[in-house]
Amino acid sequence: MQLLDGKKTSEDIKQEIAAEVQKMKANGEKVPHLAAVLVGNNGASLTYVGSKVRSCEQIGFESTLVSLPETITESELLAKIADLNEDDNLDGFIVQLPLPKHINEEKILMAIHPDKDVDGFHPTNFGKMALEMETFLPATPFGIMQLLERYKVETAGKHTVVIGRSHIVGRPMSILMSRKGYPGDSTVTLTHSRTKNIEEYTKNADIIITALGVPNYLKADMVKDGVVVIDVGITRVEDASHPKGYVITGDVDFDEVSKKSSFITPVPGGVGPMTIAMLLQNTLLARQIRARK
């Protein structure tokens, strides 16, 4: 069994991007500039945005944090997004989710210009991904593809089972794994909460990508020997014996499933760190595309 180490791989990618930024600086070119929009003060969102800003500093990007009050109206937020779309100094920006209840998330994400949508959520970018055109891939699926590629996991002709059909992970993963070329060329089955007898699919899977959000859902008796397991789930589970009072758990019963796996991602330290690295990769691409134009 080999661990797909997202922490190490994400650091490698950040170093590669930092080297690219150094070249840009040496040539007198503008360095990439990423902005993050944070509405309110949700604890988890503050942590995520803080780590994104720190990562930008670490690799030499410019970064801007746009902090807005929880009470902001939808129209005020849309006006702010219109300003960011027009700001020539910015290469890309993200709106940290979740947003307060009174704001329609879909309306906000649709308002981001596709050329600055480094999260890869806009329908224009999603469509380009499906058509195998150059675009910003959603950061978490992009990170998973990088892990498979950098660890030379064989994907061609393999049966990949994706558990979960969210627009952020499950659905894009099913498209990416079936695209032509490496890593891809897989035969993909997309399963979800309405799939009957999921274990019939998982037992025959060469690769399982689970993004369900149910702790320890995937058990050893649901997989075959030699399976590749990508665990996107991340849930806080109360644990009185732990100093923090909780543990971070994935969708996979890691201790047991890892014994049957050829490759597996840990939680934490697997897919999570890759997501931020790929957001930075998308921002670099945004800068390169803007420079070409």
Side-chain angles (χ1 to χ4, degrees):
M1 186 274 290
Q2 193 173 357
L3 216 53
L4 296 171
D5 188 341
K7 205 169 176 193
K8 182 195 174 298
T9 308
S10 69
E11 287 306 319
D12 292 346
I13 290 168
K14 284 183 195 170
Q15 282 173 13
E16 290 162 18
I17 299 171
E20 202 62 41
V21 172
Q22 284 305 322
K23 275 190 219 162
M24 289 174 149
K25 283 183 177 167
N27 294 335
E29 296 169 29
K30 181 186 178 304
V31 301
H33 186 171
L34 174 69
V37 178
L38 180 63
V39 180
N41 50 12
N42 173 307
S45 294
L46 281 165
T47 305
Y48 282 131
V49 170
S51 65
K52 286 166 186 171
V53 170
R54 278 195 304 279
S55 295
C56 282
E57 287 164 3
Q58 186 188 337
I59 61 172
F61 279 16
E62 286 183 45
S63 69
T64 302
L65 175 57
V66 182
S67 284
L68 301 167
E70 181 110 11
T71 52
I72 193 169
T73 65
E74 188 173 275
S75 57
E76 285 169 336
L77 182 53
L78 286 167
K80 185 70 202 169
I81 284 170
D83 289 345
L84 295 172
N85 283 336
E86 293 299 318
D87 186 346
D88 262 350
N89 192 32
L90 274 186
D91 297 299
F93 68 95
I94 59 157
V95 177
Q96 185 65 46
L97 303 179
L99 291 170
K101 294 276 187 285
H102 64 279
I103 294 174
N104 181 330
E105 285 185 357
E106 188 176 293
K107 199 186 271 188
I108 299 304
L109 295 177
M110 288 286 289
I112 299 169
H113 194 287
D115 290 352
K116 292 194 174 184
D117 165 43
V118 287
D119 258 335
F121 293 161
H122 195 281
T124 299
N125 291 326
F126 200 97
K128 283 182 172 177
M129 171 189 70
L131 294 169
E132 307 190 18
M133 296 162 72
E134 180 182 61
T135 190
F136 307 120
L137 301 181
T140 300
F142 192 7
I144 292 167
M145 298 303 275
Q146 282 290 311
L147 277 176
L148 294 172
E149 189 174 335
R150 286 167 184 253
Y151 278 89
K152 298 181 171 56
V153 176
E154 190 55 62
T155 59
K158 300 295 183 186
H159 181 203
T160 296
V161 171
V162 179
I163 307 176
R165 55 180 164 183
S166 77
H167 296 165
I168 295 172
V169 182
R171 190 70 52 80
M173 271 326 305
S174 69
I175 294 168
L176 290 168
M177 289 302 287
S178 66
R179 294 204 310 182
K180 287 178 189 159
Y182 180 74
D185 287 326
S186 250
T187 302
V188 180
T189 304
L190 180 62
T191 65
H192 44 78
S193 57
R194 295 297 176 91
T195 304
K196 293 191 170 94
N197 305 323
I198 279 188
E199 59 277 4
E200 286 181 17
Y201 299 98
T202 56
K203 277 178 184 166
N204 291 307
D206 302 307
I207 301 168
I208 298 172
I209 300 165
T210 173
L212 204 59
V214 178
N216 298 315
Y217 171 81
L218 192 75
K219 304 289 187 193
D221 62 3
M222 295 169 71
V223 306
K224 68 179 184 182
D225 285 326
V227 67
V228 176
V229 180
I230 308 284
D231 189 351
V232 188
I234 185 157
T235 311
R236 277 188 181 193
V237 178
E238 286 182 22
D239 183 349
S241 68
H242 199 271
K244 286 183 177 172
Y246 66 87
V247 288
I248 299 288
T249 307
D251 288 354
V252 178
D253 181 357
F254 184 88
D255 291 346
E256 296 306 316
V257 173
S258 60
K259 291 172 188 167
K260 294 176 83 170
S261 306
S262 55
F263 294 91
I264 190 168
T265 58
V267 175
V271 174
M274 293 298 292
T275 301
I276 290 180
M278 301 335 288
L279 176 68
L280 301 171
Q281 188 75 53
N282 277 343
T283 307
L284 176 63
L285 175 61
R287 177 69 235 136
Q288 290 165 339
I289 292 171
R290 284 166 71 78
R292 267 185 251 156
K293 286 181 177 173

